[in-house]
Amino acid sequence: MAQPASVEEYLAALPEDVQPVVREVRRRIAEALPTSTEKISYAIPTVLLDGRPLISYGAWKSHLGLYPVPVTVGDLEQELVPYRSTKDTLRFRYRDTIPVDLIIRVVAARAASGRDSATT
């Protein structure tokens, strides 16, 4: 399959049972970060904030992946432990309920940390 030209094209090519989950994640990210934009990078959707890549998500056969998600501290990291896969990667299996609220908290934390580092 050729690399999709847009996020919408990417979503349209997903299996029908996966599309609603990924579309919900996309919608909620856009709500949480209304000034963000998106593009396809490395063949998956990437959210940009202030023109810089913030987070990417990919729909795979058995899971939704979220990248990069560096290790954090405190309660948020404890909630992420069951989803940690490899370095800076979270995997949410479709067979389980996808914790969209947790994903949005991760995205918000990444956005806040990006803003903090941009101002220092």
CSV table of all heavy atoms in Angstrom, one decimal, residues 37-59:
chain,number,residue,atom,x,y,z
A,37,THR,N,-2.2,21.0,14.1
A,37,THR,CA,-2.5,20.6,12.8
A,37,THR,C,-2.0,19.1,12.7
A,37,THR,O,-1.5,18.6,13.6
A,37,THR,CB,-1.7,21.5,11.7
A,37,THR,OG1,-0.3,21.4,12.1
A,37,THR,CG2,-2.2,22.9,11.8
A,38,GLU,N,-2.2,18.5,11.5
A,38,GLU,CA,-1.8,17.1,11.4
A,38,GLU,C,-1.3,16.9,10.0
A,38,GLU,O,-1.6,17.6,9.0
A,38,GLU,CB,-3.0,16.2,11.7
A,38,GLU,CG,-4.2,16.4,10.8
A,38,GLU,CD,-5.4,15.6,11.2
A,38,GLU,OE1,-5.5,15.0,12.2
A,38,GLU,OE2,-6.4,15.6,10.4
A,39,LYS,N,-0.5,15.9,9.9
A,39,LYS,CA,0.0,15.4,8.6
A,39,LYS,C,0.4,14.0,8.7
A,39,LYS,O,0.4,13.4,9.8
A,39,LYS,CB,1.3,16.3,8.2
A,39,LYS,CG,2.5,16.0,9.0
A,39,LYS,CD,3.7,16.7,8.5
A,39,LYS,CE,5.0,16.4,9.2
A,39,LYS,NZ,6.2,17.0,8.7
A,40,ILE,N,0.7,13.4,7.6
A,40,ILE,CA,1.3,12.0,7.6
A,40,ILE,C,2.8,12.1,7.6
A,40,ILE,O,3.4,12.8,6.8
A,40,ILE,CB,0.8,11.2,6.3
A,40,ILE,CG1,-0.7,11.1,6.3
A,40,ILE,CG2,1.5,9.9,6.2
A,40,ILE,CD1,-1.3,10.2,7.4
A,41,SER,N,3.4,11.4,8.6
A,41,SER,CA,4.8,11.3,8.7
A,41,SER,C,5.2,9.9,9.0
A,41,SER,O,4.5,9.3,9.9
A,41,SER,CB,5.3,12.3,9.8
A,41,SER,OG,6.7,12.2,9.9
A,42,TYR,N,6.1,9.3,8.3
A,42,TYR,CA,6.5,7.9,8.5
A,42,TYR,C,5.2,7.0,8.3
A,42,TYR,O,5.1,6.0,9.0
A,42,TYR,CB,7.2,7.7,9.8
A,42,TYR,CG,8.5,8.4,10.0
A,42,TYR,CD1,8.5,9.6,10.7
A,42,TYR,CD2,9.6,7.9,9.4
A,42,TYR,CE1,9.8,10.3,10.8
A,42,TYR,CE2,10.8,8.6,9.5
A,42,TYR,CZ,10.9,9.7,10.2
A,42,TYR,OH,12.1,10.4,10.3
A,43,ALA,N,4.4,7.4,7.4
A,43,ALA,CA,3.2,6.7,7.0
A,43,ALA,C,2.1,6.6,8.1
A,43,ALA,O,1.1,5.8,7.9
A,43,ALA,CB,3.6,5.3,6.5
A,44,ILE,N,2.2,7.4,9.1
A,44,ILE,CA,1.1,7.4,10.1
A,44,ILE,C,0.8,8.9,10.5
A,44,ILE,O,1.6,9.8,10.2
A,44,ILE,CB,1.5,6.6,11.4
A,44,ILE,CG1,2.8,7.2,12.1
A,44,ILE,CG2,1.7,5.2,11.1
A,44,ILE,CD1,3.1,6.6,13.4
A,45,PRO,N,-0.4,9.1,11.0
A,45,PRO,CA,-0.8,10.5,11.4
A,45,PRO,C,0.1,11.0,12.5
A,45,PRO,O,0.4,10.4,13.5
A,45,PRO,CB,-2.2,10.3,11.9
A,45,PRO,CG,-2.7,9.0,11.3
A,45,PRO,CD,-1.5,8.2,11.2
A,46,THR,N,0.5,12.3,12.3
A,46,THR,CA,1.3,13.0,13.3
A,46,THR,C,0.6,14.3,13.6
A,46,THR,O,0.2,15.0,12.7
A,46,THR,CB,2.7,13.3,12.7
A,46,THR,OG1,3.3,12.0,12.5
A,46,THR,CG2,3.6,14.1,13.6
A,47,VAL,N,0.5,14.6,14.9
A,47,VAL,CA,-0.1,15.9,15.3
A,47,VAL,C,1.1,16.9,15.5
A,47,VAL,O,2.1,16.6,16.2
A,47,VAL,CB,-0.9,15.7,16.6
A,47,VAL,CG1,-1.4,17.0,17.2
A,47,VAL,CG2,-2.0,14.7,16.4
A,48,LEU,N,0.9,18.1,15.0
A,48,LEU,CA,1.9,19.1,15.1
A,48,LEU,C,1.3,20.2,16.0
A,48,LEU,O,0.1,20.6,15.9
A,48,LEU,CB,2.2,19.7,13.7
A,48,LEU,CG,2.9,18.7,12.8
A,48,LEU,CD1,1.9,18.2,11.8
A,48,LEU,CD2,4.1,19.3,12.1
A,49,LEU,N,2.1,20.8,16.8
A,49,LEU,CA,1.8,21.9,17.6
A,49,LEU,C,2.8,23.0,17.4
A,49,LEU,O,4.0,22.7,17.5
A,49,LEU,CB,1.7,21.5,19.1
A,49,LEU,CG,1.1,22.5,20.1
A,49,LEU,CD1,-0.4,22.8,19.7
A,49,LEU,CD2,1.2,22.0,21.5
A,50,ASP,N,2.3,24.2,17.0
A,50,ASP,CA,3.2,25.3,16.6
A,50,ASP,C,4.2,24.8,15.5
A,50,ASP,O,5.4,25.2,15.5
A,50,ASP,CB,4.0,25.8,17.9
A,50,ASP,CG,3.1,26.3,19.0
A,50,ASP,OD1,2.1,26.9,18.6
A,50,ASP,OD2,3.5,26.1,20.2
A,51,GLY,N,3.7,24.0,14.6
A,51,GLY,CA,4.5,23.6,13.5
A,51,GLY,C,5.5,22.5,13.7
A,51,GLY,O,6.1,22.0,12.8
A,52,ARG,N,5.5,22.0,15.0
A,52,ARG,CA,6.5,20.9,15.3
A,52,ARG,C,5.8,19.6,15.7
A,52,ARG,O,4.7,19.7,16.4
A,52,ARG,CB,7.3,21.4,16.5
A,52,ARG,CG,8.3,22.6,16.2
A,52,ARG,CD,9.2,22.9,17.3
A,52,ARG,NE,8.4,23.0,18.6
A,52,ARG,CZ,8.6,23.9,19.5
A,52,ARG,NH1,9.5,24.9,19.3
A,52,ARG,NH2,7.9,23.9,20.6
A,53,PRO,N,6.3,18.5,15.3
A,53,PRO,CA,5.7,17.2,15.6
A,53,PRO,C,5.6,17.1,17.1
A,53,PRO,O,6.5,17.3,17.9
A,53,PRO,CB,6.6,16.2,15.1
A,53,PRO,CG,7.4,16.9,14.0
A,53,PRO,CD,7.5,18.3,14.5
A,54,LEU,N,4.4,16.7,17.6
A,54,LEU,CA,4.1,16.5,19.0
A,54,LEU,C,4.0,15.0,19.3
A,54,LEU,O,4.6,14.4,20.2
A,54,LEU,CB,2.9,17.2,19.5
A,54,LEU,CG,2.5,17.1,20.9
A,54,LEU,CD1,3.5,17.8,21.8
A,54,LEU,CD2,1.1,17.6,21.1
A,55,ILE,N,3.1,14.3,18.6
A,55,ILE,CA,2.8,12.9,18.8
A,55,ILE,C,2.2,12.3,17.6
A,55,ILE,O,1.6,13.0,16.8
A,55,ILE,CB,1.8,12.8,20.0
A,55,ILE,CG1,1.9,11.4,20.6
A,55,ILE,CG2,0.4,13.2,19.6
A,55,ILE,CD1,1.6,11.4,22.1
A,56,SER,N,2.5,11.0,17.4
A,56,SER,CA,2.0,10.3,16.3
A,56,SER,C,1.2,9.1,16.8
A,56,SER,O,1.4,8.6,17.9
A,56,SER,CB,3.1,9.8,15.4
A,56,SER,OG,3.9,10.8,14.9
A,57,TYR,N,0.2,8.6,16.0
A,57,TYR,CA,-0.5,7.4,16.3
A,57,TYR,C,-0.7,6.6,15.1
A,57,TYR,O,-0.8,7.1,14.0
A,57,TYR,CB,-1.9,7.8,16.9
A,57,TYR,CG,-2.8,8.7,16.1
A,57,TYR,CD1,-3.7,8.2,15.2
A,57,TYR,CD2,-2.7,10.1,16.2
A,57,TYR,CE1,-4.5,9.0,14.4
A,57,TYR,CE2,-3.5,10.9,15.4
A,57,TYR,CZ,-4.4,10.4,14.6
A,57,TYR,OH,-5.2,11.2,13.8
A,58,GLY,N,-0.6,5.3,15.3
A,58,GLY,CA,-0.7,4.3,14.2
A,58,GLY,C,-1.6,3.2,14.5
A,58,GLY,O,-1.6,2.7,15.6
A,59,ALA,N,-2.5,2.9,13.6
A,59,ALA,CA,-3.4,1.8,13.8
A,59,ALA,C,-2.8,0.5,13.2
A,59,ALA,O,-2.5,0.4,12.0
A,59,ALA,CB,-4.7,2.1,13.1
